[in-house]
Amino acid sequence: MKIGILGTGDVGQTIGAKLVDIGHQVMLGSRSKVHEGASDWARQVGEGASVGTFEDAARFGELMFCCVGGAHALAVIDAAGADNLADKILIDVSNPLDFSHGFPPVLAITGTDSLGERIQAALPRTRVVKTLNTVANSVMVNPGMFGEPTALFVSANDASAKAEVIKHLNDWFGWNGVIDLGDITSARGTEAWLLLWTRLYGALGTGDFNIRLVKKSEAKPET
Amino acid sequence: MKIGILGTGDVGQTIGAKLVDIGHQVMLGSRSKVHEGASDWARQVGEGASVGTFEDAARFGELMFCCVGGAHALAVIDAAGADNLADKILIDVSNPLDFSHGFPPVLAITGTDSLGERIQAALPRTRVVKTLNTVANSVMVNPGMFGEPTALFVSANDASAKAEVIKHLNDWFGWNGVIDLGDITSARGTEAWLLLWTRLYGALGTGDFNIRLVKKSEAKPET
């Protein structure tokens, strides 16, 4: 499949490299046509990897990822072009983190709104699916590192897009038991999780962690 | 131990009943001296259980719990009296949830602030320890329902208070491996978790769940 990725940072490079590795063609999009980091990435990843502008990537991809920093996401979506993203699935991995107060960050969007919702509102002809934003990029493409299933969530208005993305997450990266949180408003929950995630990152000293949901009904009898 | 609980709702009643059950004396504090729900609770729980005003409970307790709804917490603290709470540990279980938009709620306090921080700021002579606020009250007093250890967090400025509360959480309720998230500012993380918790409550149809942290280093080798 031809996959376009908006963003050339660690998240975009990690997801892109994995997708090329399993046989897809991937274009990383950046602000400018010439982007040293993205070009280095494409050379290193080899055949199947290419680079371009946000607009180029949006035209290229049959399916899209949004992997830019949350502060830039809406401007990047605008640069990519709503027409180029129409009738496609956009997997939104971004989080509205505001680092202006230092680390840990605060949320730039709260209350009855989320970045996922703003992106969906900006792209009414695109099926936005929020997922993967709750884990480090190392975990996104390799949940097998834990040796046991851990939790991942999807939020989207379109049920068929959600089902398709859940299948991709399994086929591409090995995610099992992905939890359907509901419509795109449930992105408020996963984006807010980053405030605890960043504290855990500090306490644990690594981003190579995730959570597993434990329900009473699944448990052994009480002792 | 004499324990005062601010709040007569499900959380206060559940924690109070458990503490009486294991031999402590507990007073539930409410706005008014006469509170039907609290009085029913005290009758049902029996010897060791009593009720009073917020001020009565704050005078009574050698150790305190704040179990009121987040919207009322600061007013309740004020009614309880900073002098009555001085030189004591206050375990803050409250969350700043705003239900004015319906369910799921939004956070009433965000950014570089949290309810835990506001309570600590209002009570400079009290050692505030934020914990238990990330799980349903059924889970708070019975983490054994899962048959395996799950995650709980503590946030506090005072290291000795944190250590004491971690010991109580184990002795009283059976919590193991409680995670020290840092100072009281880390309450921003656990309070924000409620936005994901409420979505999971909706998706799972029960509050009897929790998370377990899974780290790469603890895991089996990658396959």
Side-chain angles (χ1 to χ4, degrees):
Chain A
M1 185 187 277
K2 286 182 174 177
I3 298 167
I5 296 181
L6 305 174
T8 58
D10 288 344
V11 176
Q13 291 193 9
T14 301
I15 289 176
K18 176 69 182 180
L19 291 172
V20 171
D21 188 47
I22 58 176
H24 297 284
Q25 292 172 267
V26 174
M27 184 185 290
L28 289 200
S30 69
R31 197 175 311 266
S32 54
K33 200 113 196 158
V34 182
H35 185 290
E36 208 175 312
S39 301
D40 286 350
W41 171 87
R43 261 191 303 278
Q44 211 174 320
V45 173
E47 203 180 340
S50 61
V51 299
T53 63
F54 291 130
E55 206 178 352
D56 293 334
R59 286 205 175 114
F60 175 85
E62 302 164 80
L63 180 145
M64 298 296 303
F65 277 86
C66 176
C67 299
V68 296
H72 310 294
L74 290 164
V76 166
I77 293 289
D78 189 56
D83 285 346
N84 299 321
L85 297 168
D87 304 320
K88 296 177 182 176
I89 287 174
L90 174 79
I91 298 177
D92 174 27
V93 184
S94 65
N95 283 304
L97 300 179
D98 170 3
F99 291 91
S100 65
H101 304 278
F103 189 91
V106 302
L107 286 181
I109 303 171
T110 55
T112 56
D113 202 2
S114 63
L115 184 54
E117 286 163 89
R118 289 201 190 172
I119 291 174
Q120 180 62 83
L123 299 171
R125 290 172 291 152
T126 302
R127 294 177 293 162
V128 176
V129 180
K130 185 109 202 177
T131 191
L132 291 172
N133 62 309
T134 55
V135 293
N137 61 66
S138 52
V139 176
M140 291 176 190
V141 300
N142 184 23
M145 70 164 67
F146 301 117
E148 62 176 300
T150 58
L152 194 72
F153 311 99
V154 289
S155 304
N157 292 341
D158 188 282
S160 65
K162 209 149 43 174
E164 191 176 322
V165 169
I166 287 173
K167 188 175 182 312
H168 288 325
L169 290 168
N170 184 261
D171 292 345
W172 294 344
F173 309 131
W175 285 102
N176 287 304
V178 172
I179 295 162
D180 182 351
L181 272 191
D183 67 20
I184 194 67
T185 69
S186 61
R188 297 172 200 171
T190 59
E191 293 175 7
W193 153 253
L194 268 289
L195 298 187
L196 183 51
W197 189 93
T198 47
R199 296 289 175 163
L200 288 167
Y201 176 81
L204 303 175
T206 175
D208 286 342
F209 69 88
N210 196 13
I211 54 174
R212 192 160 73 71
L213 280 184
V214 185
K215 284 188 282 183
K216 187 183 184 183
S217 54
E218 285 175 352
K220 295 154 208 155
E222 294 180 42
T223 51
Chain B
M1 186 187 276
K2 287 183 174 176
I3 298 168
I5 296 182
L6 304 175
T8 57
D10 288 344
V11 176
Q13 290 194 9
T14 301
I15 290 175
K18 175 70 181 180
L19 291 172
V20 171
D21 188 46
I22 58 176
H24 297 284
Q25 293 173 267
V26 174
M27 185 185 290
L28 289 198
S30 70
R31 197 175 311 267
S32 54
K33 200 112 195 161
V34 181
H35 185 288
E36 207 174 314
S39 300
D40 287 350
W41 171 88
R43 261 192 302 277
Q44 210 173 321
V45 173
E47 203 180 343
S50 60
V51 298
T53 63
F54 292 129
E55 205 177 354
D56 293 335
R59 287 204 175 115
F60 176 84
E62 302 164 81
L63 181 144
M64 299 295 304
F65 277 85
C66 177
C67 299
V68 296
H72 310 293
L74 290 165
V76 166
I77 293 290
D78 188 55
D83 285 346
N84 299 322
L85 297 167
D87 305 319
K88 296 177 183 176
I89 287 174
L90 175 78
I91 298 176
D92 174 27
V93 184
S94 64
N95 283 304
L97 300 180
D98 170 3
F99 291 91
S100 64
H101 304 278
F103 190 91
V106 303
L107 286 181
I109 302 172
T110 54
T112 56
D113 202 2
S114 63
L115 184 54
E117 286 164 89
R118 289 200 189 172
I119 291 174
Q120 180 61 86
L123 299 172
R125 290 171 291 152
T126 302
R127 294 177 293 162
V128 175
V129 180
K130 186 110 203 178
T131 191
L132 293 171
N133 61 309
T134 55
V135 293
N137 61 66
S138 52
V139 175
M140 290 177 190
V141 299
N142 184 23
M145 71 164 66
F146 300 117
E148 62 176 302
T150 58
L152 194 73
F153 311 100
V154 289
S155 304
N157 292 342
D158 188 281
S160 66
K162 209 149 43 175
E164 191 176 322
V165 169
I166 287 172
K167 187 174 182 311
H168 289 324
L169 289 167
N170 183 260
D171 293 344
W172 294 344
F173 309 131
W175 285 101
N176 287 304
V178 172
I179 296 162
D180 182 352
L181 272 191
D183 67 19
I184 193 68
T185 69
S186 60
R188 296 173 199 169
T190 60
E191 293 175 7
W193 154 253
L194 268 289
L195 297 187
L196 183 50
W197 188 93
T198 47
R199 297 288 175 165
L200 287 166
Y201 176 82
L204 302 175
T206 175
D208 285 343
F209 69 88
N210 196 13
I211 54 174
R212 193 160 71 73
L213 280 184
V214 185
K215 284 187 283 183
K216 186 183 185 183
S217 55
E218 285 175 354
K220 296 155 209 154
E222 294 180 43
T223 49

